[in-house]
Amino acid sequence: MWYHTGAAGDLNNDGFVDVVGATYIWLGDGTGNFTNTGISVHDFGVEPALSYEILDINNDGFNDIVVGTQEPGPDMYGSTSSILLGKSTFGEYNVISLPSTETTDTMDLEFLDYDNDGDLDILELRGIKSGHDEHSTYTFIHLYINNNLTFTLDNDVFSEAIDGGYLLGSYDKNGWSRIKIDDIDNDGVDDIVQENHNDSNYNGLKKINGKWKKYQF
């Protein structure tokens, strides 16, 4: 199975936690047992899937699946990262494709109402091979601004999040691979922080005077 990450949430509205991972939906029975439904996000043209989140992004009472994808093929750039909008009938989804980012690798997804309009906007951490060696990747945070489920790509808001690919010196081989939004320094303002190994000279973004800036927490 094509496995990278997974996400948990109730997908069939039975009150039990379900899982999406390895492209498939696995239904839980509330006792720790999960059954593969055979329903894959690939069935809806969203492939190859590598990162997932489950949430009700349009507040209609049905959980949705946000899926980050790898590049569509060798030496091709772009993405088909998408949202599978849940319906009252389990296993049926309307698909919204997010704008192409011209990058190759999906790493992680997070959510924030960036413009305070009541709609959750999507942050996708993505990367592109730098060409220095097979393990070196530049990573970026792309912002998809949500206006009633119409999404616009903005690469300027989090432009300071670029990392890896030896951009910040000979030691800075790896970009970020997981991010988290939280008030890490307890100042009442949410921050964006890297969750795992870091070989750069900063490990997050802090909102300073209305702008997201590189920051070492």
Side-chain angles (χ1 to χ4, degrees):
M1 291 184 176
W2 186 245
Y3 186 78
H4 186 62
T5 68
D10 185 4
L11 291 171
N12 61 347
N13 276 12
D14 64 354
F16 301 132
V17 172
D18 309 308
V19 171
V20 59
T23 84
Y24 289 99
I25 295 174
W26 309 70
L27 293 183
D29 65 1
T31 66
N33 299 308
F34 293 86
T35 302
N36 189 342
T37 62
I39 299 172
S40 169
V41 298
H42 287 181
D43 297 338
F44 301 90
V46 185
E47 58 181 315
L50 284 181
S51 58
Y52 312 87
E53 291 291 347
I54 296 173
L55 76 165
D56 183 5
I57 197 166
N58 57 346
N59 294 313
D60 66 351
F62 304 107
N63 272 335
D64 313 305
I65 307 173
V66 184
V67 187
T69 62
Q70 198 80 337
E71 76 275 11
D75 301 318
M76 297 176 66
Y77 299 93
S79 66
T80 53
S81 294
S82 302
I83 304 170
L84 275 60
L85 292 175
K87 298 182 177 181
S88 58
T89 301
F90 169 69
E92 294 184 4
Y93 293 94
N94 289 330
V95 179
I96 297 176
S97 295
L98 298 176
S100 175
T101 63
E102 303 303 321
T103 49
T104 57
D105 305 310
T106 184
M107 303 294 185
D108 202 6
L109 295 156
E110 273 290 352
F111 304 87
L112 176 73
D113 186 3
Y114 158 76
D115 49 6
N116 296 312
D117 66 349
D119 293 326
L120 277 179
D121 308 302
I122 301 175
L123 284 65
E124 185 177 18
L125 179 67
R126 294 187 63 87
I128 186 170
K129 295 292 187 295
S130 67
H132 292 286
D133 65 52
E134 64 179 352
H135 301 295
S136 299
T137 302
Y138 287 110
T139 57
F140 315 80
I141 295 177
H142 302 283
L143 173 64
Y144 306 100
I145 299 177
N146 179 7
N147 183 10
N148 195 27
L149 295 183
T150 297
F151 291 87
T152 304
L153 178 66
D154 191 315
N155 287 330
D156 294 329
V157 172
F158 301 113
S159 60
E160 294 229 335
I162 187 170
D163 191 56
Y166 300 103
L167 181 69
L168 302 176
S170 60
Y171 53 87
D172 185 28
K173 180 173 66 173
N174 300 294
W176 295 2
S177 56
R178 295 287 185 276
I179 56 173
K180 186 72 173 178
I181 298 175
D182 206 347
D183 181 8
I184 197 70
D185 53 4
N186 295 314
D187 66 350
V189 179
D190 279 342
D191 311 296
I192 300 173
V193 294
Q194 186 185 11
E195 286 192 291
N196 55 359
H197 172 76
N198 179 53
D199 50 14
S200 179
N201 57 9
Y202 75 107
N203 61 2
L205 297 179
K206 187 170 183 62
K207 199 170 187 179
I208 301 172
N209 296 325
K211 302 291 185 180
W212 291 93
K213 298 292 186 181
K214 292 182 177 69
Y215 199 82
Q216 180 68 36
F217 291 98

